[in-house]
Amino acid sequence: TVLRSHDEFGHVPWSDVALSGWILDPDRKKMSKSKGNVVTPIGLLEQYGSDGVRYWAASGRPGTDTAFDEQQMKVGRRLAIKLLNASKFALSFGGPDAVVEPPERIVRPLDRSMLAALARLVDDATTAFEGYDYARALERTEQFFWRFCDDYLELVKGRAYDDADAEGSASARAALTVALSTLHRLFAPFLPFTTDEVW
């Protein structure tokens, strides 16, 4: 293809190339039909969902061999379910249209700190995507998301429901909306069905 493009058009057909590795079986041998160690995906898709299988595939770094691992697919399924549940909580306040306060009204230090960490994540993920290191973008986004759920969501849950503290409640709700919207965009290449369902 390179030679033909060079001869016919005087330039190469693309500027960047990514090399993927092999898929290895649990014994660390290359999967191939001739060896009879290939796993057909239909059962995996039914068991873990498309996003769970895609999560496993995206966890393999470009140019490296990736071991077939159903445990990673289970993690991907759990991640998708957690994203659905976190989104359900954030949307229980009415979704983005219900947040009348603009983002600059996010005044509580905890909310602002979380958004600052999220901004750093976006910069890091953007750099990773631009360098075709999608596995790093997924890894960093996932790390942030689990901390977000385990720490931030638990800390602001009560404040988000507290109508007596209008400023604090509005700050929490607006921060939740901004964070979940951003996280959905970061996860969309890896969990497209889950993120599209919530979007």
Side-chain angles (χ1 to χ4, degrees):
T1 302
V2 172
L3 180 60
R4 181 176 179 181
S5 178
H6 177 72
D7 285 347
E8 288 186 27
F9 306 107
H11 58 80
V12 294
W14 49 75
S15 61
D16 301 274
V17 176
L19 299 175
S20 62
W22 301 108
I23 303 300
L24 306 177
D25 68 10
D27 296 328
R28 308 293 291 172
K29 294 179 184 159
K30 180 186 149 218
M31 282 191 174
S32 69
K33 284 189 235 178
S34 61
K35 289 183 180 179
N37 62 352
V38 174
V39 177
T40 55
I42 194 69
L44 299 169
L45 294 170
E46 290 170 354
Q47 187 172 3
Y48 303 110
S50 298
D51 283 350
V53 175
R54 189 178 177 100
Y55 168 87
W56 162 76
S59 296
R61 298 205 182 284
T64 60
D65 295 339
T66 304
F68 175 77
D69 186 4
E70 280 193 53
Q71 293 301 319
Q72 281 292 96
M73 294 176 203
K74 287 181 187 177
V75 171
R77 181 169 172 74
R78 272 190 19 244
L79 177 63
I81 291 169
K82 189 71 169 179
L83 185 58
L84 286 172
N85 289 337
S87 301
K88 184 178 178 183
F89 168 68
L91 292 172
S92 69
F93 303 110
D97 296 335
V99 181
V100 282
E101 288 79 9
E104 58 267 10
R105 295 289 299 259
I106 299 173
V107 294
R108 293 295 168 93
L110 180 63
D111 303 330
R112 296 175 70 95
S113 174
M114 180 274 297
L115 291 178
L118 181 61
R120 289 190 297 274
L121 168 65
V122 169
D123 290 343
D124 194 16
T126 300
T127 301
F129 277 126
E130 288 172 349
Y132 304 105
D133 192 356
Y134 52 83
R136 178 175 171 76
L138 172 59
E139 178 185 324
R140 296 289 309 208
T141 303
E142 184 181 5
Q143 287 172 353
F144 178 91
F145 178 70
W146 286 115
R147 280 194 319 271
F148 172 81
C149 290
D150 293 344
D151 299 336
Y152 180 77
L153 280 183
E154 294 304 318
L155 289 170
V156 300
K157 202 177 276 187
R159 182 162 45 96
Y161 284 119
D162 187 6
D163 291 331
D165 178 9
E167 182 185 73
S169 179
S171 180
R173 291 177 183 190
L176 280 169
T177 301
V178 170
L180 263 300
S181 174
T182 304
L183 285 166
H184 277 274
R185 293 168 211 221
L186 289 168
F187 276 126
F190 313 108
L191 307 172
F193 296 98
T194 303
T195 53
D196 185 63
E197 177 69 22
V198 175
W199 198 263

